[in-house]
Amino acid sequence: MRTFERARVPGRARARARGSAAALVVAGLLAGGCSPDPSGAPTASASGSAAPADRAAVAGAATPLEPLPAAVPAALAPYYAQRPAWQPCDSGFECTTFRVPLDYDRPGEGDLTLAAARAAAEPSGSASASPAPSASPGGTRLGSLLLNPGGPGGSAIEYLETAARTYDRGVRAQYDLVGLDPRGVGRSNPVSCLSGDRMDAYTAVGLTPGDQPGIDALIAADREFAEGCRKQAGAALGHLSTVEAARDMDVLRALLGDEKLNYVGKSYGTFLGATYAGLFPSRVGRLVLDGAMDPALDSVTGNRTQAGGFETAWAAFAQDCARREGCPLGRTEQQVGERLTALLAGVRAAPLPTTGGGRPLTESQATTGVIQAMYADFLWPELRTALADAEAGDGTGLLRLSDDYYGREADGSYPNLMFANTAVNCLDLPAPFGGPEDVQRAVPEFERVSPHFGRDMAWMALTCAYWPVRATGAAHTIRAAGAAPIVVIGTTRDPATPYAWAQSLAGQLESGRLLTFDGDGHTAYGRHSACVDGAVNRFLLAGEAPEQGKRCER
């Protein structure tokens, strides 16, 4: 894996999700935070800790996110008064664009143009069957429901193609579903950094350097990536933060004619939604935060605890594999883990050949392929086959999974997702490490919590050390005092957003309601559980938040 990340929709999983009730979101790390300075512009400071036992200390140490003034500042009034023209576009949706300030501290000195799409509320008679019962199908229109699939870097417009078909029929009947590509993402001034062939090289660079030449190669790759982003993004690179994206959502809320924001955010989308609630608590409608991030964590702690989340998911996979006839890595969980370690060491020493295209499988790509499959248990059969092939000397399957993670297309091009992912992450929190020496000191603790992935995840967090713009955010808590109930969903064996993060966020939010899914994979709504789906649908349609601490299974 060549970048630490929060949450995103993996390439081929995106296509699969369009035909199912599940839209995968891959989540990652870190959170940017802020409190307003006297001018009303958010600033940030403080840090936190991740251990569950220390959660109270984290909340006490991190600076809280303070709300912005309830009244729209006069300098921003022209943005809130726009009348965007909605035109027919892809998949039967309506699309529009609107302007937001490049810099909310200096409105009027430069704008960005953002893109949004919506699927109009469907009459109940035309809505297709839904996998979960509606709370009140065919009822009164409830306004707009904004969606964000995660990332940072996931396109909400692309995700809308899934949601418009697979969300509960009552939700689709009573809400206009709206996808807004955040600044720097998808169709909204997308940031770009490297060509396809350079991204191929970037994803192949080793993440477990054992000598100085290996370290030098990793640093050179990170510097090339950062410089490519600087050259191609220009001044916008310093204005892609989550705080700014949340303020953009409030502009769109007003342009849609909604007094309050209704929202479903997955993975990183939970951080975006929680940030909105912290900045605009009085404008919170029905917010669902699924696969929650913990904004109180500093970048080192967040990366390390996420590594532990992937280790938990790997243990679940290993147990499942060991119970099956023909598991390619052994008959016990320990054997499966030991064989994976040996396999990756072998690939590090000698990359495996692959079919079609001539790109050999490197160790970093092999590890990324394994991590890709941790996001959803429906990918586990593909991983078993890929590991069996790799044991036999063929790296094609693991390379395919790695390419899916990055969204690599058949023509060798890459989407904007990973570029935006890094750009937002490096703004939202100070770099976890200042250089390779810091990583080397941190590796033992990373490996303690994640023997299989800790070393890789420590080294992959080095990218922001070479970022061309300084971070504008820092760790913080979010209280959102006075907000309506906010549903926070955590999955007990979520690899990318560990369950403890959902517990922490729900505890920080004054009106947070924790909904637990006891299961595997990343995020829960619309994936596995009629219990989760029913609770969320009742909240969205009737405003009935689940009781605090409700637990669901499949």
Side-chain angles (χ1 to χ4, degrees):
M1 227 170 18
R2 288 296 298 121
T3 177
F4 61 92
E5 54 147 342
R6 295 206 179 116
R8 66 181 185 82
V9 183
R12 188 147 50 104
R14 286 197 299 267
R16 290 172 177 166
R18 293 188 187 114
S20 71
L24 278 187
V25 273
V26 179
L29 241 221
L30 313 181
C34 46
S35 57
D37 66 16
S39 69
T43 58
S45 62
S47 63
S49 166
D54 296 333
R55 242 178 258 128
V58 171
T63 298
L65 177 66
E66 299 292 341
L68 291 170
V72 175
L76 295 179
Y79 297 98
Y80 279 78
Q82 296 174 81
R83 294 186 177 182
W86 293 88
Q87 302 291 340
C89 60
D90 303 342
S91 303
F93 301 152
E94 295 178 306
C95 293
T96 195
T97 59
F98 63 100
R99 295 178 299 105
V100 294
L102 173 66
D103 184 347
Y104 276 92
D105 285 350
R106 298 176 177 82
E109 295 186 14
D111 293 341
L112 294 175
T113 299
L114 306 187
R118 69 181 176 191
E122 303 175 353
S124 59
S126 65
S128 58
S130 170
S134 300
S136 55
T140 305
R141 182 181 177 278
L142 297 172
S144 305
L145 181 65
L146 265 68
L147 311 173
N148 185 280
S155 168
I157 293 177
E158 182 175 304
Y159 176 68
L160 182 64
E161 296 180 9
T162 300
R165 289 201 298 267
T166 63
Y167 268 39
D168 173 81
R169 65 180 179 272
V171 172
R172 288 181 282 125
Q174 294 182 242
Y175 285 101
D176 294 336
L177 302 185
V178 179
L180 166 64
D181 279 356
R183 53 175 62 203
V185 174
R187 303 180 191 181
S188 296
N189 296 99
V191 62
S192 182
C193 302
L194 297 178
S195 63
D197 61 329
R198 297 313 303 156
M199 271 298 288
D200 281 346
Y202 182 72
T203 64
V205 173
L207 281 173
T208 55
D211 53 24
Q212 192 58 47
I215 293 173
D216 291 344
L218 180 57
I219 292 173
D222 284 340
R223 288 186 183 278
E224 180 187 3
F225 186 97
E227 178 62 12
C229 294
R230 184 193 67 79
K231 286 183 176 179
Q232 298 192 52
L237 197 63
H239 295 282
L240 302 178
S241 71
T242 297
V243 165
E244 289 162 311
R247 298 185 75 171
D248 296 340
M249 287 204 305
D250 194 58
V251 174
L252 180 58
R253 173 203 58 78
L255 301 186
L256 290 167
D258 295 327
E259 291 187 5
K260 296 182 181 290
L261 181 80
N262 303 308
Y263 176 84
V264 175
K266 289 176 171 276
S267 202
Y268 162 78
T270 68
F271 178 51
L272 178 59
T275 299
Y276 181 91
L279 295 174
F280 306 103
S282 65
R283 297 174 194 162
V284 168
R286 298 172 186 177
L287 261 64
V288 177
L289 309 179
D290 182 13
M293 292 179 58
D294 182 358
L297 300 184
D298 64 83
S299 54
V300 175
T301 307
N303 275 284
R304 188 174 62 242
T305 55
Q306 191 186 47
F310 280 106
E311 194 69 29
T312 297
W314 167 258
F317 167 81
Q319 292 167 7
D320 178 80
C321 186
R323 289 195 296 265
R324 297 174 181 272
E325 288 293 330
C327 176
L329 298 184
R331 299 303 302 273
T332 68
E333 180 185 345
Q334 181 177 347
Q335 288 177 346
V336 173
E338 290 172 349
R339 291 277 290 277
L340 176 67
T341 299
L343 174 63
L344 294 176
V347 177
R348 183 188 315 134
L352 294 181
T354 63
T355 58
R359 296 158 57 225
L361 177 77
T362 67
E363 183 207 8
S364 62
Q365 292 164 328
T367 302
T368 300
V370 174
I371 285 176
Q372 160 73 353
M374 296 300 98
Y375 284 102
D377 52 8
F378 74 72
L379 293 176
W380 291 2
E382 183 175 352
L383 177 60
R384 290 195 299 269
T385 300
L387 290 171
D389 291 345
E391 287 268 288
D394 181 0
T396 304
L398 285 176
L399 183 61
R400 183 181 301 114
L401 283 166
S402 176
D403 286 348
D404 289 349
Y405 175 89
Y406 289 109
R408 187 181 189 272
E409 303 290 352
D411 63 1
S413 64
Y414 287 78
N416 140 266
L417 187 151
M418 280 299 175
F419 308 138
N421 185 284
T422 305
V424 175
N425 284 336
C426 291
L427 271 184
D428 276 353
L429 281 179
F433 304 119
E437 298 81 6
D438 293 339
V439 180
Q440 290 169 322
R441 284 191 290 268
V443 161
E445 185 63 17
F446 272 68
E447 290 186 317
R448 183 187 68 79
V449 301
S450 180
H452 294 101
F453 310 114
R455 186 177 184 87
D456 296 76
M457 295 189 74
W459 280 103
M460 74 183 179
L462 186 59
T463 307
C464 289
Y466 309 106
W467 204 243
V469 294
R470 294 185 62 182
T472 56
H476 59 280
T477 57
I478 299 178
R479 187 173 178 222
I486 298 172
V487 175
V488 178
I489 306 174
T491 297
T492 55
R493 293 180 295 280
D494 191 315
T497 50
Y499 178 61
W501 292 3
Q503 292 175 300
S504 179
L505 179 60
Q508 292 170 41
L509 292 167
E510 181 182 80
S511 59
R513 299 285 185 92
L514 178 63
L515 173 61
T516 298
F517 173 54
D518 186 2
D520 299 296
H522 181 46
T523 75
Y525 179 51
R527 293 195 59 230
H528 291 304
S529 171
C531 173
V532 170
D533 291 354
V536 171
N537 293 336
R538 282 189 294 275
F539 175 64
L540 291 175
L541 293 170
E544 299 174 7
E547 64 270 20
Q548 187 67 267
K550 180 179 176 64
R551 295 183 70 91
C552 290
E553 298 180 353
R554 287 179 184 267

